[in-house]
Amino acid sequence: MSKKTSIPVSTLGTPRIGPRRELKFALEDYWSGKSDFVSLQEKASALRCANWARQRSLGVDNVPSNDFSLYDHVLDTCVMVGAIPEIYDWQGGLIEPATYFAMARGDTQEESCCGKTTQKGIPALEMTKWFDTNYHYMVPELSSEQHFTLASTKAVDEFREAKALGFKTRPVLLGPVTFLKLSKGTEAGFDPLSLLDRLLPVYGEVLRQLRDSGAEWVQVDEPCLVLDLNDVDRVALKKTYQVLGKAVPNLRLMLTTYFGGLGDNLQTALSLPVAGLHVDLVRAPEQLDAVIVGANPDQVISLGVIDGRNIWRADLQAIYDRIAPAIASRGAALFEIAPSCSLLHVPIDLEQESDLDADLRSWLAFAVQKIEELKILSRALGDGIGSVASEFRDASAAIAARRKSTKVHNRLVTERALAVTHDMAKRQSPFDIRRAAQQEKLGLPEFPTTTIGSFPQTTDVRKSRAAFAKGTLDGTGYDAFIRTETEAAIRWQEQIGIDVLVHGEFERNDMVQYFGEKLAGYAFTKHGWVQSYGSRYVRPPVIFGDVSRPEPMTVKWSQYAQSLTDRPVKGMLTGPVTMMQWSFVRDDLPRRDVCAQIALALRDEVTDLEVAGIGLIQIDEPAIREGLPLRRGDWKAYLDWAVECFRLSASGVRDETQIHTHMCYSEFNDIIEAIGAMDADVISIETSRSKMELLDAFVNYAYPNDIGPGVYDIHSPRVPTIDEMVDLLAAATRQLAVSQIWVNPDCGLKTRNWEEVRPALINMVEAARMLRKSMAEAAQ
């Protein structure tokens, strides 16, 4: 009897960063001038080779290429098609590294006029969240005058690089329709999708070069197919794949969708002339039957059965039971199995986590383990479950143990959550009454200045924290160090004239991790890094069980900072939605229930800060928007419980205690009513890159509370001038009442250095003073 054929395994994309964050250090050496671009390329090439070798050793049949990026794959697509805004002074030809990184990080240029040389700031592209993930992409800027041309051969070069090393790969491209839908029109009312006819020839050329280089398949990612689309979008998709199919008839395309179900776009996806279709069966398992029934008879279906967004071990038996009948009905030769999406969003290898609790470790799977799970499923589907019986038993036993574990379930937490009432999520008085009470207590000037919370995490700060963690610095010594840093920060803020101070957060490693380490139900990895953007990586905490607060988390350092000054000091917390959204969340409990548990823990912290004399408390919620479901029909249910959780955390205080919140990189129009319903006294938002355009949502909504529109782009190393900040604030005064406006950076300053921060904040304070003066003069 002949042996059955295993189902091919694909990965769609893998982490780029390297097991020891090699890409981060290579980039930062290049940016700081410690190495040149040749060295950076050599290190990047070594990482790509290691990625391909790792996947082949794990038995991956369809290894991707061009899933690697030095910064961001959407930025790579911009440069591939020559979508370079005029401000970057691109003169045509292949893109140079300086232009690429200027688009990513901003830059400065020297200008000479009248015998004087001045520096002109070149801003980076706007950045926002990739669908509903915590990955950031650079937003393409397109105008009606945009013409596309092939300006980077990266996709072809990396395919050829892999081929020369003996790896047969399937190149990955971001689909043209998704690229245009993610783009920003630079003119009012302009729809970038109208540029499709100009864009498709460049894609056709890239596909021809890939085919001529030996590619048999190309993966084309069109995650826009899981969004709410209109008839224009659907026509654009049909046109795209008809044109590309005719342009490169001998090349097979794997159309890849992820982050949700196709829903009412199913027939559009099935009608496209592509050789393969990938569907996400983790987010949308219900679509399997309809996809199987509607697929073309010879079309390959890629089943996304392993979660590419979370780190929990898969229930292999349940997956097998769900997909085996479908595969049997159609034939194994017409299927692949894969993660639900690229593995970009998970850490690389669980084997590095030797210090994790043994039970928790047995419940997890990182990228390497997910590929192993796929290979086990492949063997089971091809050779029968008997060929992998022990692997199936181990997976089932781990899942059963987790379900019953007392490490996961806490009766007291469950009972407290069930006792929550609607009134617990309401402030005592309306905003106008609170504002008067807060102004009487705080006595702040117009255009009050503050920062978002964190100050630079210097080498000394990181070394001291590491020494304390290793035990080479005792608690007394570490506390003394943090006290010294905190006092220096307070004194410097007083010196330059900031109105509302922060303690600097020198004791904190990360805005989520710091709190998670003090909460029951959280666990942490040592090497579980994932990319947020560029060289910015995070280690998301793991919410594995019921969440509670054993003791106060921030009171000590906030109270100490306030004791040093007569000026008000803000207490700094991370909000419940962000604490959840920026973690790997348990998948055995509804997310709203997890969020409510965190909100109750934070509520205790907020009230303790108030008792300790902290009159302003900032509860950051930058992740509210990114948690929004991709389909509009699901928004209300999510926003209702997300807002309720924020208010639950914030509403246990008196009227005179001022609650701040902070959000970043959001399309606020989508959720402005929910932001209003949060009822924070002050919201600070990122607006410098958009030149205050993001304020439009607040103006159109007639947002009644106070707003701090960011005037300093902290994601760029350049220092904005006083005039730039004055111009931004002046723009804000044309849209908001002066009494509403606070002055602050776009975000926290942890990732910057003091050489950038000091002049930038001095300029910010001076800009606020100039606005106060000009407003006073105008009133006379």
Side-chain angles (χ1 to χ4, degrees), residues 370-410:
K370 289 177 183 295
I371 295 172
E372 291 171 342
E373 289 178 328
L374 285 167
K375 202 62 186 177
I376 293 168
L377 283 167
S378 170
R379 290 167 55 197
L381 292 163
D383 302 331
I385 288 181
S387 64
V388 287
S390 62
E391 289 90 340
F392 266 57
R393 281 195 301 271
D394 289 346
S396 296
I399 290 166
R402 178 184 169 207
R403 190 178 298 121
K404 296 182 293 185
S405 175
T406 56
K407 296 177 181 178
V408 173
H409 305 289
N410 183 324

Side-chain angles (χ1 to χ4, degrees), residues 424-467:
M424 291 173 65
K426 290 182 179 179
R427 293 292 296 271
Q428 293 176 1
S429 303
F431 173 67
D432 286 347
I433 295 174
R434 302 198 308 266
R435 175 191 262 171
Q438 292 160 15
Q439 184 58 22
E440 181 179 353
K441 177 182 179 181
L442 298 172
L444 297 172
E446 289 184 338
F447 302 105
T449 54
T450 190
T451 64
I452 303 304
S454 60
F455 279 150
Q457 296 271 311
T458 64
T459 300
D460 286 345
V461 170
R462 293 194 298 270
K463 284 182 177 178
S464 294
R465 186 185 304 120

Side-chain angles (χ1 to χ4, degrees), residues 432-564:
D432 286 347
I433 295 174
R434 302 198 308 266
R435 175 191 262 171
Q438 292 160 15
Q439 184 58 22
E440 181 179 353
K441 177 182 179 181
L442 298 172
L444 297 172
E446 289 184 338
F447 302 105
T449 54
T450 190
T451 64
I452 303 304
S454 60
F455 279 150
Q457 296 271 311
T458 64
T459 300
D460 286 345
V461 170
R462 293 194 298 270
K463 284 182 177 178
S464 294
R465 186 185 304 120
F468 177 58
K470 292 176 182 176
T472 56
L473 177 65
D474 64 17
T476 300
Y478 182 63
D479 276 9
F481 174 82
I482 298 299
R483 283 175 177 269
T484 299
E485 294 291 314
T486 301
E487 181 170 9
I490 292 292
R491 298 290 173 242
W492 184 75
Q493 292 172 85
E494 289 179 321
Q495 177 187 337
I496 69 169
I498 290 180
D499 299 302
V500 173
L501 314 187
V502 296
H503 77 286
E505 304 181 15
F506 302 108
E507 79 284 5
R508 303 187 188 182
N509 43 22
D510 176 84
M511 66 180 291
V512 173
Q513 182 176 348
Y514 177 78
F515 293 97
E517 286 176 339
K518 298 176 181 297
L519 293 169
Y522 272 80
F524 294 84
T525 65
K526 286 190 174 180
H527 306 286
W529 298 99
V530 294
Q531 186 179 28
S532 180
Y533 63 87
S535 67
R536 170 69 168 149
Y537 307 155
V538 294
R539 279 183 301 160
V542 180
I543 304 177
F544 69 91
D546 291 334
V547 177
S548 62
R549 186 195 73 145
E551 60 185 13
M553 302 179 287
T554 67
V555 173
K556 171 183 173 180
W557 292 116
S558 294
Q559 192 172 34
Y560 172 68
Q562 186 63 81
S563 73
L564 298 171

